[in-house]
Structures are given as C-alpha cells and as structure tokens.
Amino acid sequence: MSIVTVQLGQCGNQIGREVFNAICSDVHGTHGLCSKKENESYRDACKERFFCEEETEVPVARAVLVDMEPKVISQTLSMAARSGYWKYDDRSRFCQKQGSGNNWANGYSVHGPRHKEVIMNLVQKEAEKCDRLGGFFTIMSMAGGTGSGLGAFVTQCLRDAFPTSFILNHVIWPYGTGEVIVQNYNSVLTLSHLYQSSDAILVHENDVIHKICSQLMNIKQISFRDVNQVIAHQLGSVFQPTYTAEGGLHYSRNPLGSFQDPSLYTSWLNPRDAFNAWKTPRAFNKYEKSASLVSNSQFLLKPLDNVVGKAWNMFASKAYIHQYTKFGIEEEDFLDSFTALEQVISSYTIL
C-alpha cells in the first residue's frame, strides 16, 4: 500500500529528502542476502509504497512539500533531482514568501486557514495517484513556527478529509539546551493538537541523535545533515517492506522468548499482543544485519514532563503570551493544551 508523505517546514523538508534518498539508495543497492526474485519483489513493494511510476526517467516521490520560505523547497527539489535516481513532482509543492518565524500561532491560525484549500488540493491529488492508499506520513519540527503550527493545522485537515486513513506524525524533539526561546510553548501546543488528530506520533530527540553521531559514528563536527541522515536511515529501516518473492509477509508471532516476559508490559496487555516482529532476508542499505524497534513506552515521560514544566513556568509569568494572543491563540488554548498533556503524562506514569 502507498504512503503519501507531507513535508512541513524547513526541518520536515530536509529530513523528508534524506528519507527518500535513503530509501532510493537501498532500492538501487546490490544485496546478496536474498534471491534475485525476492530482491525484485522488494523493490516493487518499495516503489509502490513511496514512489509514483509516472512517464518520467526516474521515480517521483509520493510527497507534498509545504513551507513559507521558497528557498528551502527550491533547494530540496534541486538536490533530489541531482541524485539522478528520483525526484519530486514540482507541482506538489506549496510555498509563500511570508515567513512565520518561530511563532506557532502565526503558522496555525494565519497561514493554515489562509492556505488550507491549496495545500489540501495538493494532498488530494497525491492520494488519487495511489491505487491503494495506506495513509499519510507527516514530518515536522515541534519547536518551529511553520513546522509545528502549520503542521498541527494540516494534520487536523488530513483527519477531517481522510477520516479512515492512518496518520503517522513524525516530530523532531528540540535540543534540551534550546533552539528558540518559545520552543517549549510550541512543543506543548503541537503535541496536544497532534494527540487529538494523529493515530501515532513517532519521535526523534535531537540530543539522542547527536550522541549517536558523536559517540557511535565518531563524527567530530556534527552538521544538521549528519543528524538528518541518521534519522532518515532509522525511518527508512522502519518502513522497509517485508515481502517475499511470492508477495507474502515475513511475520513472526513469537519471535523472541525474552520479549514475552509479562513484566515488560502493562498489566492489561497480553504479551502476545504487545510485541510483534516483522523480518526480511534482505539487508537495508549497506548493513547486512540490522534491527529497528518502535516502542510505545515511558521513555518520553521525563523529556515530556520537562517541556511541560518549563512551558508552565513561562506561562505562569505571562512571558511571550502576547506573541500568541495577537494571532488568536488565547490563554484558554494554552490551558487546554496543558491539561491534555498532563493527562498523557498521568496515563503513561501508571503503565
């Protein structure tokens, strides 16, 4: 089944391009761990999931690119085209020369409603190209104005327009040391809104990825692209098709005895239902053996509690609230967001 990717803001567009690069590099790689027939089946499944086979020399990504800065999207389009293996559809982009800066409210309350029709028309056209639409994958930052405010608005629009489709939001958790002064406000508002509209939220923490680049990959001067490529590799491996040559799915119900320990899971979940594994004999990119774990756990409790706590301290002193109220986000909206996330924290605490 096909996935339509929606890249939002500078962060979403840069990571989205790296994801498609990683997937396309994998598709064109030579792997000796599986038969030629299995490899062809894998490639076909991968292309159907992420690319359109249009009347062009190279596959076209199933993606919609959205940003308020034309420069970012222009760079994204040109870098993809230069790869020679894939490209974006130049008609599937939306950009306006009107930066919303780091103001969440401007992205959510102004740019979102103003450009809703154009953006959703682009999404609808991509969805109609799919023979079998599996769902939507959005990529955004939590801390920025366009990437978080507009991203939260677009996610709500996706839920309204495609009520039965699966929506997976991928968000980049900001550095703990701070990127923008109101990043905790933006994060609280983003997460609370996504929680209402999304089927699942997949999180990458910048601090964790930075450590991977430094400690595991021994990169001395870490760039944003280094960080983005690690994220893209992890995402690509998670989305790796697991089809056999006959089109079947490699699926193991009880793959690893240690993961069946009831103490690993909340009391109301049967371990047999709590852990599932998919496998394929084909390597991903240059790695002959790799494993990816997607976990719904208490891992984010501490960082979430920290973000909410810092945002609440700022809110209690009314710091920077005027930057939001002037665009229609009132204090009651903040309180609703705090309440929603406190409930999430409470639920995960008692798991």
Side-chain angles (χ1 to χ4, degrees), residues 115-149:
H115 306 301
K116 173 183 175 181
E117 184 177 356
V118 176
I119 294 172
M120 293 308 296
N121 280 342
L122 292 175
V123 172
Q124 183 67 41
K125 288 178 181 177
E126 284 300 319
E128 290 174 354
K129 294 177 185 178
C130 303
D131 293 330
R132 299 182 301 161
L133 176 63
F136 297 92
F137 176 51
T138 73
I139 310 175
M140 68 185 79
S141 165
M142 286 205 315
T146 301
S148 53

Side-chain angles (χ1 to χ4, degrees), residues 109-247:
S109 300
V110 178
H111 291 303
R114 180 181 297 167
H115 306 301
K116 173 183 175 181
E117 184 177 356
V118 176
I119 294 172
M120 293 308 296
N121 280 342
L122 292 175
V123 172
Q124 183 67 41
K125 288 178 181 177
E126 284 300 319
E128 290 174 354
K129 294 177 185 178
C130 303
D131 293 330
R132 299 182 301 161
L133 176 63
F136 297 92
F137 176 51
T138 73
I139 310 175
M140 68 185 79
S141 165
M142 286 205 315
T146 301
S148 53
L150 184 59
F153 181 86
V154 169
T155 301
Q156 291 177 346
C157 294
L158 288 174
R159 174 52 67 220
D160 293 338
F162 303 90
T164 61
S165 294
F166 191 89
I167 299 175
L168 173 63
N169 289 95
H170 176 256
V171 295
I172 303 300
W173 203 279
Y175 286 102
T177 52
E179 298 171 62
V180 294
I181 198 166
V182 292
Q183 71 175 32
N184 295 307
Y185 277 163
N186 294 345
S187 297
V188 165
L189 290 167
T190 300
L191 286 174
S192 63
H193 282 74
L194 293 184
Y195 190 70
Q196 305 301 322
S197 305
S198 180
D199 289 293
I201 301 173
L202 189 60
V203 176
H204 271 107
E205 293 182 84
N206 269 338
D207 288 312
V208 173
I209 302 301
H210 202 90
K211 285 182 180 178
I212 291 174
C213 291
S214 174
Q215 298 175 11
L216 297 182
M217 303 177 70
N218 296 316
I219 300 175
K220 303 303 179 184
Q221 294 182 324
I222 301 171
S223 66
F224 278 116
R225 188 167 190 192
D226 293 324
V227 172
N228 292 344
Q229 286 179 338
V230 171
I231 293 172
H233 177 83
Q234 293 189 359
L235 289 174
S237 63
V238 167
F239 292 135
Q240 185 184 27
T242 50
Y243 287 93
T244 66
E246 292 73 31

Side-chain angles (χ1 to χ4, degrees), residues 309-334:
K310 290 176 182 178
W312 177 257
N313 289 337
M314 289 178 62
F315 181 77
S317 61
K318 308 298 182 186
Y320 303 102
I321 294 295
H322 66 282
Q323 293 188 12
Y324 296 81
T325 55
K326 68 181 180 180
F327 291 114
I329 300 297
E330 304 297 337
E331 292 187 17
E332 290 77 10
D333 298 311
F334 276 96

